[in-house]
Amino acid sequence: MYLWRINTLYNTLKIKKYTLTKDQLKALTDVETTSYEQELAKDIFFFLFIFDEIRFSDIILLEKDWIVNDDFGKRIEFNQSKTEGLSQRKRDVWITDEIQWIMDKYPGGSKYIFNFLKDDMTPDQITAYCSSKLSTINKNLKRLSAKIEEMPSLSTKYARYSAATYIKKK
C-alpha cells in the first residue's frame, strides 16, 4: 500500500512539473517558427497534446489502416507500444479537425500516417530513427520556448502531461 502511495505521489509531482498553463499554451500557438524543423516540432507538440497523452514513439508508428470511419465518426484505433501485449484493450482517439490538419500536413507515403518512416524499415532502424527524430523535435521545442517569456524549456513530455492535467480538470 505504501509503495502505491509513493508511486502516486511521484507521478502527481512529475505531472505538475511538466504542466503548462493556458496562457503558456496560447503563447506557444502564437510563437513564430523560423524553420521547417521548428514548425514540425510545434505541430507534433500540439498533436501529442490533442491526441490524449500519446508518446512520440507511438505516433511515429500510426498506420493508415488503423483509421476507422463509421457511423460513430472518424478515429484511430491503436495499441500503445509501451503496453502492447499487457492488455488486449485498444485505444481509440477521435480525429478532430486539428488532428486531421496535422496529419494532412505531414502525410506518409503508403503504410504510415506520417512521413517519418519508410515501409521497408526494420524494427532497429525504426527505433534509431525515432530516437534521433525525438531528439531533434525536443531541441526545436527548446528553441521555441526560449522565444517566450516565462516559458520552461519545453520537451514532448510537456504535451503529454499538460494534456493529462487538462483532461483531469475537465
Side-chain angles (χ1 to χ4, degrees), residues 10-20 161-162 164-165:
Y10 172 76
N11 287 335
T12 301
L13 292 173
K14 187 164 79 169
I15 288 171
K16 284 183 181 179
K17 176 182 176 186
Y18 291 108
T19 298
L20 299 176
Y161 293 126
S162 292
T165 301

Side-chain angles (χ1 to χ4, degrees), residues 68-114:
V68 176
N69 195 359
D70 57 19
D71 292 341
F72 298 109
K74 193 172 179 183
R75 65 192 179 281
I76 301 173
E77 290 184 348
F78 66 101
N79 287 321
Q80 289 180 282
S81 60
K82 187 174 182 179
T83 58
E84 195 169 14
L86 300 175
S87 169
Q88 297 301 317
R89 188 178 144 252
K90 283 190 178 254
R91 293 208 41 216
D92 58 349
V93 173
W94 299 100
I95 299 176
T96 63
D97 290 341
E98 295 84 4
I99 287 175
Q100 187 65 57
W101 180 79
I102 294 170
M103 289 177 4
D104 291 345
K105 191 172 178 180
Y106 307 99
S110 57
K111 179 179 176 179
Y112 297 103
I113 289 175
F114 289 105

Side-chain angles (χ1 to χ4, degrees), residues 101-129:
W101 180 79
I102 294 170
M103 289 177 4
D104 291 345
K105 191 172 178 180
Y106 307 99
S110 57
K111 179 179 176 179
Y112 297 103
I113 289 175
F114 289 105
N115 62 0
F116 298 116
L117 304 177
K118 296 185 179 10
D119 291 350
D120 61 350
M121 291 175 81
T122 67
D124 288 342
Q125 289 172 321
I126 290 172
T127 300
Y129 181 82

Side-chain angles (χ1 to χ4, degrees), residues 3 48 51-52 79 118 120 128 148 154:
L3 184 59
L48 291 168
F51 208 93
D52 190 24
N79 287 321
K118 296 185 179 10
D120 61 350
I148 304 169
L154 293 179

Side-chain angles (χ1 to χ4, degrees), residues 16-27:
K16 284 183 181 179
K17 176 182 176 186
Y18 291 108
T19 298
L20 299 176
T21 66
K22 285 183 184 180
D23 289 340
Q24 289 171 319
L25 288 167
K26 173 76 170 99

Side-chain angles (χ1 to χ4, degrees), residues 18 20 24 28 45 137-146 148 151-159:
Y18 291 108
L20 299 176
Q24 289 171 319
L28 184 58
F45 180 93
I137 286 171
N138 282 331
K139 284 177 188 171
N140 281 286
L141 285 173
K142 288 179 189 344
R143 288 181 183 130
L144 288 172
S145 60
I148 304 169
M151 179 69 79
S153 185
L154 293 179
S155 70
T156 56
K157 283 183 182 181
Y158 279 89

